[in-house]
Amino acid sequence: MDSVPSTGRLTGAQREELIEQVKQQVAIATAQELLTKISEKCFKKCITKPSSSLDSSEQKCIAMCMDRYMDSWNLVSKAYSSRIQKESMR
């Protein structure tokens, strides 16, 4: 038998707690994916000759790349949230 009760037998408070836990897990997974993508894309763009340390131009490039990526991510996220909110009002 499964130790997790079916959602049909959960109380309202248990259901809300479960929903919050899932939301937190999704947020963590999204943040991990964002960090992975930033690392991959900015490394590929900024690091031409990997070595034991970054020179100043590579450091500047990575910082700017990360800032631009985060700004873009935030813009897209806000637009997506806004669209979802408008769709749910229909």
Side-chain angles (χ1 to χ4, degrees):
M1 290 272 160
D2 196 10
S3 63
V4 178
S6 72
T7 55
R9 290 185 255 162
L10 294 176
T11 66
Q14 289 172 325
R15 190 172 294 129
E16 287 300 315
E17 183 179 345
L18 180 61
I19 289 170
E20 284 305 310
Q21 288 175 354
V22 170
K23 285 180 181 179
Q24 288 175 357
Q25 290 174 353
V26 169
I28 290 169
T30 301
Q32 289 173 333
E33 179 184 357
L34 174 62
L35 288 173
T36 299
K37 285 187 177 190
I38 286 175
S39 297
E40 291 172 356
K41 291 183 182 295
C42 293
F43 184 88
K44 185 182 275 188
K45 179 182 182 338
C46 298
I47 311 299
T48 55
K49 297 180 288 181
S51 65
S52 61
S53 63
L54 300 175
D55 64 32
S56 62
S57 65
E58 290 171 331
Q59 289 177 7
K60 185 176 181 179
C61 179
I62 287 176
M64 290 174 58
C65 178
M66 291 175 69
D67 287 344
R68 283 193 305 267
Y69 200 93
M70 288 298 294
D71 288 345
S72 299
W73 180 274
N74 288 332
L75 182 66
V76 169
S77 294
K78 285 178 186 176
Y80 180 73
S81 294
S82 175
R83 185 170 179 175
I84 294 294
Q85 200 169 33
K86 287 178 185 175
E87 292 292 324
S88 68
M89 297 239 181
R90 289 184 179 182

